[in-house]
Amino acid sequence: MTITITGMRKRFGPTEVLRGIDLTVEKGELVALLGPSGSGKTTLLKIIAGLDWPDMGGLDVDGVNWLNLPAQDRRIGFVFQHYALFPHMKVRDNIAFGLTVRPRSQRPGRGVIAARVDELLHLLQIAHLGDRYPAQLSGGQRQRVALGRALAIEPTVLLLDEPFGALDAAIRRDLRNWLREVHGATGSTSIFVTHDQEEAFELADRVVIMGQGQIEQIGSADQIHDRPATPFVANFMGATVEIPVTMRAGRIEAAGIDATRLERRVLPDGPATLFLRPDDITPIADTQGCWTIETVASTGATLRIALKDGAGNRVETVLPRRAPEAAGLTPGTRTHLRPEAGSVFPGPRPATTPAPAAQAPAKENIR
Amino acid sequence: MIGAAAPIRARRVLPGFTLSLGTTLLYLVLVVLIPVLALILKGAEIGPERFWQIVTSPRTLAAFRITLTAAAIATVFNAVYGVLMAWVLVRYEFPGKRILDALMDVPFALPTAVAGLSLTALFSANGWFGQYLDAAGIQVVYTIWGIVLAMTFTSIPFVVRTVQPVLEDLDTTLEQAAMTLGARPWTIFARVVFPAILPAFLAGSTVAFARSLGEFGAVVFIAGNLPMKTEIASLLAYIRLEEYDYIGAAAIALVLLVFALVLLLVSNLLQIWAARYREVK
């Protein structure tokens, strides 16, 4: 099933949650919608499921306009964030639900349904739990049952809302691998929503980054990591350090910054903003440097160093404690900064980037 | 040296468990248990033969039959209406919703005699409704339908008020999940929503039924109280009392008490059954 979304818009009262979404998901693909909360990713998923409706836009699946179809007729498997298992039904009945509610003429026989449920219980590795109620299961087990219930109807599209959000880290990693296998085995088109980058990149063929109701970038882990398309993506991907710089003939220039390790950029001359990850910045001891080390904290493996320049700008860097550059970095040392990698966007610091924690002091400095 | 340590007990946030439990138990004994016990003792004085004779006399049997039938019909009405009303109050937003919600408590607040009087006035042959029903050949006042009406009125709130909070807490993603699995609205109600509200629904219906069995004030005005036709059990007990036939009154009251206790027992068993999946172990 190829899903084509065009010009989709949706507002809840005064808030625009979707501001023109265009996206195509190919047959058999596993796509992640990644973004902070409030980016509209769950709303988009619910619209595809038929549990919500857009104000404008199109939703075509293999040439059929799904906006004319009620949720019941879309034959989707939807896995809810908190599983939404029917509490009064045993695991077996939960999984069979989608088959037993079919109109009599399309309903498989009792034996066929039971066989299908058994098959799923095995696939999901929960064969021994068939006669339990959901209240008697752990989170990971409930997640498997929820997936089994969604798969029982042989869905054309599998949609998962924060599928591992409520689970422990270890179980999460387990289920992730296993979901990948299930996706491969069933060959269905799958879309899942997450705010966990690692999860998105590890699982998905393609990751769609959403911010404030728009698609910011679509790509693989490496593309998004190395070439963020917008300041929003750069910031979301961890480049929380923003340094105002000047572009001159494709080179980045700023006081106290050694930009030799950064490649040239095709950008017009003038003011720009450099986005850096704390662990991509190396402070180099330099008596002429305009950055002064304020504090150094060790986590054993890494050093977390806070620096400040004459104008009051603050920067935090992380570097391996045993790196040769780390020697002699003590509070009070003057340094310059050498970014190892980073991205530049034209114009002064954009106002729309998230991560308020990283911005709070910077905003004061601008005034 | 370590001495024999006193057992450490967790401190409660609010002290006074002994005092509060004592007070509530004393109150319960004085107000509920002693009267019930007195009734049972009074009944026991009668002796089984005499007791059986009283409760199986034709007039008493007729009174029980009328009371049970009317209460059963009233409960069916209120059960259906109660779920519908709770659904409307929980799931929809409309102007005047709060007023409607508050109106649900009127039957609780209104003296039942007042309710009986107003219903009689409305449905008597020259009342607002009665004149049209009378023309159509339907008589409500002084028939069992009058009794049903009075019982329905006074026990409306029970089902609404027990189902409403459960419906409010019901996770709507369950219904969404059922939708994505292809279930049509009626199937969703029957297989997902109703089982969830079933324990509350049973509890509310039983209380409504028990209340209808015992309803007195509203019924006596509208029923006409013809022996064998529209005379309810609690009225008959009252009549026996008026006749200084304490034994007769106690025997009838005892049967009503047994009805009530059996109802409570059945209701609790049904609720345990309906909520069986909630027990985690």
Side-chain angles (χ1 to χ4, degrees), chain A residues 152-337:
Chain A
I153 60 170
E154 289 170 342
T156 51
V157 178
L158 188 60
L159 305 172
L160 307 102
D161 186 10
E162 298 272 3
F164 312 116
L167 299 171
D168 297 345
I171 301 173
R172 208 185 266 211
R173 210 160 302 131
D174 250 24
L175 277 179
R176 228 184 264 166
N177 295 334
W178 168 83
L179 178 66
R180 182 84 236 184
E181 281 168 31
V182 170
H183 172 81
T186 56
S188 64
T189 308
S190 308
I191 303 177
F192 73 99
V193 157
T194 181
H195 62 264
D196 182 330
Q197 296 177 20
E198 197 190 319
E199 189 168 290
F201 290 124
E202 200 182 310
L203 253 177
D205 300 319
R206 277 196 306 162
V207 172
V208 177
I209 300 212
M210 291 186 65
Q212 293 169 346
Q214 281 171 320
I215 292 179
E216 298 278 344
Q217 190 170 5
I218 303 176
S220 69
D222 295 355
Q223 286 167 348
I224 292 171
H225 194 269
D226 294 348
R227 295 252 174 277
T230 64
F232 175 91
V233 178
N235 197 305
F236 183 71
M237 292 302 297
T240 49
V241 176
E242 299 172 21
I243 298 172
V245 295
T246 310
M247 295 301 300
R248 191 157 300 150
R251 284 231 164 264
I252 297 157
E253 291 180 4
I257 303 285
D258 168 14
T260 47
R261 299 224 170 161
L262 299 176
E263 44 196 302
R264 283 169 173 262
R265 305 296 162 94
V266 189
L267 277 182
D269 288 1
T273 308
L274 179 60
F275 286 76
L276 303 167
R277 287 186 189 85
D279 51 355
D280 282 338
I281 306 170
T282 315
I284 307 287
D286 172 4
T287 47
Q288 305 301 311
C290 60
W291 295 89
T292 313
I293 295 182
E294 281 200 307
T295 58
V296 179
S298 172
T299 65
T302 60
L303 290 180
R304 193 169 281 271
I305 302 171
L307 302 108
K308 192 176 155 186
D309 76 354
N313 291 314
R314 282 189 162 79
V315 157
E316 200 176 66
T317 74
V318 175
L319 78 164
R321 187 166 60 90
R322 294 203 177 125
E325 291 90 345
L329 294 180
T330 49
T333 312
R334 292 180 76 89
T335 69
H336 67 257
L337 301 179

Side-chain angles (χ1 to χ4, degrees), chain B residues 130-156:
Chain B
Q131 50 185 324
Y132 302 109
L133 290 171
D134 206 45
I138 303 166
Q139 212 195 337
V140 173
V141 175
Y142 309 142
T143 67
I144 193 172
W145 295 109
I147 303 176
V148 170
L149 192 66
M151 287 176 170
T152 310
F153 181 92
T154 53
S155 59
I156 274 183

Side-chain angles (χ1 to χ4, degrees), chain A residues 46 49-51 70-73 75-76 78 80 84-89 97-98 100-101 133 135-136 149-150 153, chain B residues 171 173-185 187-188 191-193 195-196 274 276-281:
Chain A
K46 290 210 157 169
L51 299 174
Q72 283 97 335
D73 296 332
R75 203 156 165 178
I76 38 148
F78 198 104
F80 289 82
L85 296 177
F86 305 126
H88 58 283
M89 292 181 205
F97 186 86
T100 55
V101 298
Y133 287 107
Q136 300 165 312
R149 184 177 67 177
I153 60 170
Chain B
D171 185 1
T173 58
L174 292 183
E175 290 154 59
Q176 296 186 340
M179 259 173 86
T180 63
L181 291 165
R184 303 287 150 183
T187 314
I188 296 177
R191 294 197 44 189
V192 176
V193 177
R276 65 202 176 283
Y277 55 86
R278 290 196 192 143
E279 281 166 47
V280 182
K281 181 70 218 125

Side-chain angles (χ1 to χ4, degrees), chain B residues 23-194:
Chain B
T23 313
T24 46
L25 275 184
L26 180 69
Y27 189 83
L28 187 73
V29 167
L30 282 179
V31 176
V32 180
L33 291 184
I34 290 183
V36 169
L37 199 68
L39 179 61
I40 294 171
L41 289 177
K42 189 82 192 163
E45 276 175 25
I46 308 169
E49 256 172 68
R50 179 88 181 93
F51 177 83
W52 191 248
Q53 199 188 340
I54 294 172
V55 298
T56 54
S57 75
R59 187 171 168 187
T60 318
L61 274 184
F64 284 138
R65 204 191 60 237
I66 291 159
T67 311
L68 282 174
T69 315
I73 299 173
T75 305
V76 170
F77 273 134
N78 280 339
V80 175
Y81 176 86
V83 171
L84 204 61
M85 192 62 186
W87 185 264
V88 168
L89 286 177
V90 172
R91 286 303 169 89
Y92 302 107
E93 287 303 324
F94 51 90
K97 175 171 155 168
R98 281 171 173 276
I99 297 173
L100 187 64
D101 200 5
L103 273 180
M104 276 296 101
D105 289 329
V106 167
F108 275 158
L110 204 65
T112 53
V114 175
L117 275 173
S118 352
L119 289 174
T120 313
L122 280 176
F123 285 91
S124 63
N126 50 12
W128 286 359
F129 300 156
Q131 50 185 324
Y132 302 109
L133 290 171
D134 206 45
I138 303 166
Q139 212 195 337
V140 173
V141 175
Y142 309 142
T143 67
I144 193 172
W145 295 109
I147 303 176
V148 170
L149 192 66
M151 287 176 170
T152 310
F153 181 92
T154 53
S155 59
I156 274 183
F158 289 102
V159 177
V160 182
R161 288 293 184 238
T162 48
V163 170
Q164 198 177 2
V166 180
L167 214 46
E168 265 162 14
D169 289 345
L170 189 65
D171 185 1
T172 49
T173 58
L174 292 183
E175 290 154 59
Q176 296 186 340
M179 259 173 86
T180 63
L181 291 165
R184 303 287 150 183
W186 176 248
T187 314
I188 296 177
F189 181 79
R191 294 197 44 189
V192 176
V193 177
F194 193 68

